[in-house]
Amino acid sequence: MRSLTAPELLGAWEAGHPHAGPGRVLALLCAAFPDTQPEELARLPVGTRDALLLAVREGTFGPRVVGLVPCPSCGERVELAFEVGDIRVTPEPPPPRALEVVRAGYAVRFRLPDSRDLASLPGLDADRARQWLLGRCVLEANREGAAVSVAELPGEVVLAVAEAMELADPQARVELATACPACRRAWQPVFDIGEFFWREVEAWAQRTLHEVHVLARAYGWSEERILAMSPWKRQCYLEMAAG
């Protein structure tokens, strides 16, 4: 299980900060797997990518996940608490580079969405986003041997392709069974490990930079020396500096 050190976390945070969600996720993966080319990580199917993120998050911050989600009915903030293992899909053989669906006389070859596809989505509503992803991921479509465009595919075929994508890459979409204690509304919010992990890293980075600032002023130590300390030892020095 890969874990990120304090310098690696700060480096990933600095590298990913200027980017949107998919770019931030790739910054974390590049820090965790420096021997893998960024282009190769960007081409990973979303579920495969998220499985790696789960492992890195567990190794870095531990197996427990705690967060808050607003109730869609009353707005109450509901706590979500679970273990990484609870949402980890049992490893399967890697999905093939291309899959095929044959339905209603149509044959569609397609690949699974990856980080490059997600990076192209900001600003699109849900319906346009689905159509955009389909257009990027369909490699070939035909009806009775004649080529057709993605726009010509009937809803039944589009739905079959979407279902095949989910089946081939199940880690890509994780839903959590949740109930609001205030209004008793039950729903299934989607858990995005990339967004959640990044928020954790950002909070950790802001806190750590403050600690470095305090200890550097108090003792004249470099950032490298301070980050090399264990969190427990760093806290001991912070308490002495405050006294």
Side-chain angles (χ1 to χ4, degrees):
M1 186 182 299
R2 181 70 167 91
S3 63
L4 292 171
T5 65
E8 288 171 338
L9 275 174
L10 278 181
W13 175 68
E14 185 177 4
H17 197 268
H19 300 285
R24 292 173 174 181
V25 166
L26 286 177
L28 292 170
L29 286 180
C30 286
F33 303 98
D35 295 332
T36 304
Q37 291 296 318
E39 294 80 6
E40 184 177 345
L41 294 171
R43 288 195 299 268
L44 291 174
V46 173
T48 303
R49 180 203 70 177
D50 286 358
L52 292 177
L53 276 178
L54 282 170
V56 175
R57 192 275 175 191
E58 184 175 15
T60 302
F61 291 140
R64 190 68 172 167
V65 176
V66 179
L68 296 172
V69 62
C71 172
S73 293
C74 69
E76 180 78 11
R77 294 179 69 79
V78 180
E79 182 181 88
L80 298 177
F82 53 91
E83 302 285 319
V84 168
D86 295 336
I87 62 170
R88 180 181 287 120
V89 177
T90 303
E92 299 286 348
R97 290 183 178 272
L99 300 97
E100 184 174 24
V101 160
V102 178
R103 181 69 58 89
Y106 291 83
V108 184
R109 289 182 64 252
F110 59 94
R111 62 173 177 80
L112 295 172
D114 58 32
S115 295
R116 301 168 301 172
D117 302 314
L118 298 185
S120 70
L121 290 179
L124 300 179
D125 60 34
D127 290 336
R128 289 178 62 203
R130 282 192 292 269
Q131 192 68 21
W132 181 262
L133 279 178
L134 192 66
R136 288 178 61 92
C137 294
V138 167
L139 305 173
E140 180 184 6
N142 65 75
R143 183 179 184 224
E144 298 177 354
V148 297
S149 68
V150 171
E152 296 176 83
L153 296 175
E156 176 186 354
V157 177
V158 171
L159 179 60
V161 171
E163 290 175 346
M165 285 181 173
E166 290 188 17
L167 186 63
D169 202 24
Q171 191 72 69
R173 185 176 178 85
V174 174
E175 296 180 342
L176 304 172
T178 309
C180 176
C183 70
R184 303 194 181 281
R185 165 71 182 272
W187 80 106
Q188 292 182 306
V190 175
F191 176 72
D192 185 337
I193 178 57
E195 180 182 348
F196 184 85
F197 191 13
W198 180 262
R199 287 202 304 266
E200 286 186 309
V201 170
E202 192 156 43
W204 174 91
Q206 296 286 0
R207 185 171 61 251
T208 300
L209 286 181
H210 176 72
E211 294 175 357
V212 169
H213 171 72
V214 171
L215 294 180
R217 289 190 64 181
Y219 299 104
W221 295 332
S222 67
E223 179 184 275
E224 181 180 7
R225 180 176 179 182
I226 295 168
L227 292 179
M229 298 177 184
S230 67
W232 173 81
K233 187 176 182 181
R234 196 185 309 152
Q235 185 60 38
C236 289
Y237 278 117
L238 285 167
E239 291 173 1
M240 287 187 286

